[in-house]
Amino acid sequence: MERTTFLSDTNEILDTIKRLLHDAEDDYGIAVAFWGKGAETLIPSDGSGKIICNLGHPGTNPHVIEKIRSNANVSVRYLDSLHAKVVVSDQGSFVGSSNLSEAALGITTSIGEWREAGVFLEPSNMAAKNAWSWFEALWKMASPVEDADIAKAAARWESEALSERPYRRSD
C-alpha cells in the first residue's frame, strides 16, 4: 500500500527532513527555494547530495549556501524561478511549505515560528518516484553556483535581505 503521511508539526517536519538526508543510502536531492541561518547543519557530511536553491532572491542567505558549497560531497545549483520545498532520497520524499530556515523549522532552536505543513511519501509510493523525476528534470535546468554568483547574492543580501522572522502586521 502506498502511504502518504500528513505532517503539521514543525518538529515532525524537521525530523522527517533530517531522516531523509541522514539515512539515505544513496544520494539525496533538495529543491528548496529559500535557505536561512542554521540550514547548513542539516546537510550530512557524508553521502552525496544535490541542492537547488533560489539564490537570486533575498530570501536565501548566500553565506549559508557558501558554507554548504564547501562540502565536497554536495553539488549546489540555483534556479531563480524556484519556489518549491521538496526533499528526495531513497528513504522517501517530503513535499511541503517549509523553507530551510530558522523561522520555518527552528533548526537550531526547535522553535519554528511559521505554521508549516507537508506530506511524507514512502519510497514505494509512485508520487515519491515522480518527485525524484521532477527533481532530476529541475536539476538539468538549474545553473551551478559559482563564486561570482555568491558574491552578487551577498551584495544583495546586505542591502535587501528579508527577515527570517514571520511578518507581523502592525495594529
Side-chain angles (χ1 to χ4, degrees), residues 2-8 12-13 16 19 93-95 117-122 125:
E2 292 186 354
R3 285 192 34 216
T4 300
T5 305
F6 179 73
L7 308 170
S8 61
E12 195 175 35
I13 292 168
T16 297
R19 186 170 39 82
S93 299
F94 170 79
V95 179
V119 293
F120 168 70
L121 307 166
E122 295 211 358
N125 191 317

Side-chain angles (χ1 to χ4, degrees), residues 50-127:
K50 294 178 180 175
I51 294 172
I52 308 169
C53 66
N54 184 335
L55 191 59
H57 191 281
T60 293
N61 183 330
H63 306 294
V64 169
I65 300 302
E66 188 172 29
K67 288 177 189 173
I68 292 169
R69 283 180 65 223
S70 70
N71 182 333
N73 300 323
V74 178
S75 297
V76 184
R77 293 187 177 189
Y78 71 96
L79 188 61
D80 288 345
S81 61
L82 182 69
H83 195 257
K85 289 84 175 162
V86 177
V87 178
V88 294
S89 81
D90 58 3
Q91 300 298 304
S93 299
F94 170 79
V95 179
S97 63
S98 310
N99 288 306
L100 295 182
S101 68
E102 191 66 33
L105 295 175
I107 296 167
T108 61
T109 63
S110 298
I111 306 171
E113 296 183 50
W114 289 103
R115 299 288 179 214
E116 303 289 358
V119 293
F120 168 70
L121 307 166
E122 295 211 358
S124 61
N125 191 317
M126 184 51 86

Side-chain angles (χ1 to χ4, degrees), residues 23 31 39 52 91 97 124 138 143 147 162:
D23 293 351
I52 308 169
Q91 300 298 304
S97 63
S124 61
L138 209 64
S143 301
D147 291 342
L162 299 177

Side-chain angles (χ1 to χ4, degrees), residues 19-31 42-52 68 71-76 87-91 132 135-136 139:
R19 186 170 39 82
L20 287 170
L21 300 177
H22 291 272
D23 293 351
E25 294 176 17
D26 294 318
D27 57 347
Y28 60 85
I30 305 171
L42 297 175
I43 307 304
S45 57
D46 56 348
S48 177
K50 294 178 180 175
I51 294 172
I52 308 169
I68 292 169
N71 182 333
N73 300 323
V74 178
S75 297
V76 184
V87 178
V88 294
S89 81
D90 58 3
Q91 300 298 304
W132 256 115
F135 178 85
E136 290 298 338
W139 181 256

